[in-house]
Amino acid sequence: MVGFTDEIGRYLETKFGNSIDEASERQVYQALMVKTRDKLSEKRFDYNKKLKDSKQKQAFYMSMEFLVGRTLRNNLFNLGLEKEVKDYLEKNGFNLDKIYDIEPDPGLGNGGLGRLASCYMDALTSQDYPMTGFSILYEFGIFKQVIHDGWQQEYPDNWLDLGSYGLAYRSDEEVEIKFYGNTREEWTDKGLKITHSDYTSVIAEPYDLLISGYHSEAVNTLRLWRAKANKGFNMKLFEKGEYARSVESDVIAESISKLLYPADDNDTGKALRIKQQYFFTSASLQQIVRNHYATYSTLDNLADKVVIHINDTHPAMCIPELMRILLDEYEYSWEDAWNIVTKTFAYTNHTIMAEALEKWSVDLFKPILPRIYSIISEINNRFCEWCKRIGALSELETMSIIHNNMIKMANLCIVSSYNVNGVSKLHSDILVEDTFKSFNRIYPGKFNNVTNGIAHRRWIAQSNPELTSYLNDLLKVDFVKDLSKIEKLYDYKDDRAVIEDLEKIKLVKKAQLSKYIKESTGINVDNESIFDVQVKRLHEYKRQLLNALHIVYLYRKIKFDGLRPVPRTFIFGAKASSGYAMAKNIIKFICTLSEMIESDPVVRNYVKVVFLEDYRVTLAEKIIPAANVSEQISQAGKEASGTGNMKLMLNGALTLGTMDGANVEIHEAVGDKNIFIFGLSTPEVNELIKNGYRPIDYYRSSSEIRETLEFIRTINLNGSNFNNIVDYLINSDPYMCLADFHSYVEKQKEVEKTYLDKNKWGSMSLVNIAKAGIFSADRSTEEYAKNIWNIDIVK
């Protein structure tokens, strides 16, 4: 039997005409990527055969993004091949870590939403559950972030140049997607017949990224759709003088799978987002239905064999698209089609923020998708009629799917799904008590909670092998397979030797990160300093700005008041949406603070500020194991859950946060003594809003706030000033940075005092690691599988 490493050598010989000792690192990388994909394809065939034979129910996960991270290391680790490959390469003069570094992060996601989707794919596969993910094969991802003179610059992320070797093109499953055109209704003896004419056709090309499981027989698929023109140049339209329409398919296809989240501050960007969302949902639904019908020769049992999960509102068009397929292509009656649809879909809500609850203008949406609009309109009409019958007419303004000429996609999801869940206990409570309280009243039992989880095998076993190896030797339990077993570490919370060993491992990870910081920014950081980390999407509600205000406060105290604090390194990683001006200003502000501090011979001995550009999974894998403090400081009631807080906790960082999102459950797990909680609670925030929040009152009544803000006005580095940020905080401050400022500063003092007691800090860190088991994605996905989807493992 040919071994895996023999296959690598054979590939090099047949593809490049080289033996292993003649090959380049680039050739070895390609060989590893291709042969790993082939190995997964073999396993996928066997797993798929069992699945087909069992004819059991399957889950299909729709998400606009899957932030998968590098795949090669993950797959070799899961397949149990990493040591064999490492030894083989070392014997032939290659370093496996250098080969890993060749792979770019796949540009398939941006933030927590996409990372969660990938964690769930990993966890479900590791537990042998049948799951297929669907998304778009973005050519350039969101963007490659470069910080130039403190400003974020966006550049194309050409990840497919080297990242495509893990993808399998499935030309046999291409799908046609129709945009624009006209629909005509005609009643026949068989019922209502819909004709769609003069449409623009785009082809969805399918590419499969195979997802491995840890020591599992399962291999699941992430199906990624790429747009291409159908038929290309239309000569007849061109000859009629309709020059633009003659190449319309090319233009639409060219744009759809280019970028994740094109700027939507204009109608052109909004229209592109609508096309992207329909493109991948239509392609996915057509494939699901086609495969189901080929197996069962009926769609009557679709809901018995298929569950389709909508990850946030981006894939909401799955709902009218399935109605369209059932009505127009399989000639179901409305009632029968609706009965199938409402038993097939489940929906996860990820936000309570009004601006993030997607809605589209009817005037924009209807011309692009005329048939889909007519179906949404009919769903809304019937829902409104039902509400009138049950006495809910007065609440239609909040519940109607179409209101004030806007289509509300979250409302569409709730009306059409059999289950709606939030992603942390606090978030789910807010959904039913506030955001969707009217829906909760008319749909009792539809809403529930599944607290998010993380793929711990990536976030400790792969990104922190030093800690994993130590805990394996110490605990003698397989916590890599079952994270709940890591709680055995709690028995050592008072063991000084173990605490000291954990601190040594933390210093190793800090040294590794320090080396990266020096190479990428030129800044030297002190490994003995507190590594204070805030890594997440740049948004005002996440309050990177509050963190920056504290840095200014410290700068002033050190420079003018003689404060000599415990040295601290503030580490930021974040991308701002390309059209988000305030977020970009905050990045510039943080980078300016970094530059100002580096040029001050006194302050830089106590404070460093590092902004690491192009935050992504691979960079997170370097930062998170090195963190001492996990900044989770969003305004209470705004963060649905968070998963970065869980990854940092698992690696021994102590949470400094508000009682928001999953911080509430982390607090519950570790207790008051092992977390730093500050700030207003959600009810207090709501009360302050109700009574009229006036940030200027805090400015006037607090000398520390006033002096901090006025000092910011004096900062003028290379012609940049930040008066706009000061004015924004004094006059608006929508996320209450000033209201929480004093509480935050005082809690930071407590962080510093605690850090000086190495044994106490180490014990707190140990407890956080030991109590992280409940935040495994294995637990989350088990809840989805058993309580929502009703699917079984494949045996």
Side-chain angles (χ1 to χ4, degrees), residues 3 50 59 81 154 176 242 274 301 330 438 644 767:
K50 292 179 188 175
L81 294 170
E154 300 97 19
E176 182 185 21
E242 297 185 45
I274 290 169
N301 65 341
Y330 290 87
S438 295
V767 170

Side-chain angles (χ1 to χ4, degrees), residues 61-173:
Y61 201 82
M62 304 288 170
S63 183
M64 200 71 184
E65 48 175 309
F66 283 85
L67 193 60
V68 295
R70 288 175 175 170
T71 62
L72 181 57
R73 183 181 64 177
N74 189 57
N75 287 329
L76 291 179
F77 177 84
N78 284 342
L79 292 168
L81 294 170
E82 191 172 34
K83 186 178 186 308
E84 177 188 340
V85 171
K86 184 177 183 179
D87 292 346
Y88 169 73
L89 293 182
E90 283 181 354
K91 188 172 68 176
N92 289 282
F94 293 95
N95 182 294
L96 181 56
D97 287 333
K98 288 186 177 180
I99 303 299
Y100 285 154
D101 285 340
I102 296 173
E103 184 183 4
D105 280 41
L108 301 172
N110 176 40
L113 181 79
R115 186 55 226 162
L116 181 76
S118 290
C119 282
Y120 283 179
M121 287 290 294
D122 288 349
L124 287 158
T125 308
S126 293
Q127 295 174 93
D128 293 306
Y129 282 110
M131 162 68 84
T132 302
F134 287 97
S135 195
I136 295 175
L137 182 63
Y138 301 103
E139 187 175 346
F140 297 120
I142 186 163
F143 55 78
K144 183 176 180 62
Q145 181 194 54
V146 174
I147 303 299
H148 180 70
D149 192 26
W151 290 103
Q152 171 180 293
Q153 306 288 330
E154 300 97 19
Y155 293 93
D157 178 13
N158 297 298
W159 73 275
L160 279 170
D161 285 352
L162 287 169
S164 61
Y165 298 112
L167 298 171
Y169 173 46
R170 291 294 304 273
S171 59
D172 57 315
E173 293 189 341

Side-chain angles (χ1 to χ4, degrees), residues 470-507:
Y470 177 78
L471 293 179
N472 274 328
D473 291 342
L474 178 70
L475 304 180
K476 305 288 194 271
V477 294
D478 190 1
F479 67 90
V480 177
K481 185 65 177 176
D482 179 1
L483 190 61
S484 68
K485 293 180 179 179
I486 204 169
E487 187 155 11
K488 189 177 179 184
L489 179 63
Y490 189 76
D491 296 342
Y492 297 88
K493 65 180 172 48
D494 299 318
D495 189 317
R496 286 200 170 220
V498 171
I499 290 169
E500 287 173 6
D501 288 342
L502 292 177
E503 173 61 18
K504 289 173 186 175
I505 292 168
K506 180 65 73 174
L507 282 170

Side-chain angles (χ1 to χ4, degrees), residues 650-667:
L650 177 60
N651 281 274
L654 302 187
T655 301
L656 169 63
T658 52
M659 286 293 271
D660 194 28
N663 291 352
V664 174
E665 283 141 303
I666 292 175
H667 173 262

Side-chain angles (χ1 to χ4, degrees), residues 524 555 558 597-608:
N524 288 304
Y555 180 92
I558 295 166
I597 288 167
E598 277 299 289
S599 65
D600 191 298
V602 175
V603 179
R604 71 187 180 206
N605 291 322
Y606 300 96
V607 173
K608 298 280 184 174

Side-chain angles (χ1 to χ4, degrees), residues 603-778:
V603 179
R604 71 187 180 206
N605 291 322
Y606 300 96
V607 173
K608 298 280 184 174
V609 177
V610 177
F611 191 98
L612 294 174
E613 67 183 16
D614 205 33
Y615 184 61
R616 58 204 185 277
V617 174
T618 301
L619 182 51
E621 290 170 343
K622 291 181 171 70
I623 297 171
I624 287 171
N628 295 121
V629 175
S630 165
E631 296 264 1
Q632 309 297 331
I633 60 176
S634 54
Q635 183 190 21
K638 296 300 182 186
E639 184 72 80
S641 170
T643 53
N645 47 6
M646 302 169 189
K647 297 161 195 165
L648 285 151
M649 172 194 188
L650 177 60
N651 281 274
L654 302 187
T655 301
L656 169 63
T658 52
M659 286 293 271
D660 194 28
N663 291 352
V664 174
E665 283 141 303
I666 292 175
H667 173 262
E668 187 179 310
V670 302
D672 283 330
K673 295 180 180 179
N674 297 294
I675 192 170
F676 300 101
I677 296 295
F678 75 95
L680 299 170
S681 66
T682 300
E684 289 169 337
V685 166
N686 293 337
E687 186 67 19
L688 193 50
I689 292 170
K690 180 181 174 183
N691 294 332
Y693 174 55
R694 287 170 46 86
I696 195 167
D697 292 342
Y698 292 83
Y699 171 82
R700 288 170 175 163
S701 63
S702 167
S703 60
E704 287 189 336
I705 289 176
R706 188 167 58 254
E707 290 166 5
T708 298
L709 293 182
E710 289 308 314
F711 180 77
I712 293 171
R713 290 195 190 276
T714 70
I715 298 173
N716 193 321
L717 206 62
N718 300 322
S720 294
N721 71 72
F722 301 97
N723 289 329
N724 62 326
I725 287 179
V726 176
D727 292 338
Y728 158 87
L729 287 168
I730 293 174
N731 299 317
S732 176
D733 191 20
Y735 301 105
M736 300 186 180
C737 290
L738 299 192
D740 274 348
F741 179 82
H742 278 293
S743 178
Y744 182 58
V745 168
E746 290 306 307
K747 194 56 66 169
Q748 285 281 25
K749 292 176 182 176
E750 186 181 327
V751 167
E752 178 182 343
K753 181 181 177 182
T754 307
Y755 190 76
L756 287 170
D757 185 340
K758 289 296 184 184
N759 192 61
K760 181 178 179 182
W761 185 279
S763 178
M764 292 170 69
S765 175
L766 181 152
V767 170
N768 272 263
I769 298 169
K771 295 295 183 177
I774 62 168
F775 298 110
S776 167
D778 291 357

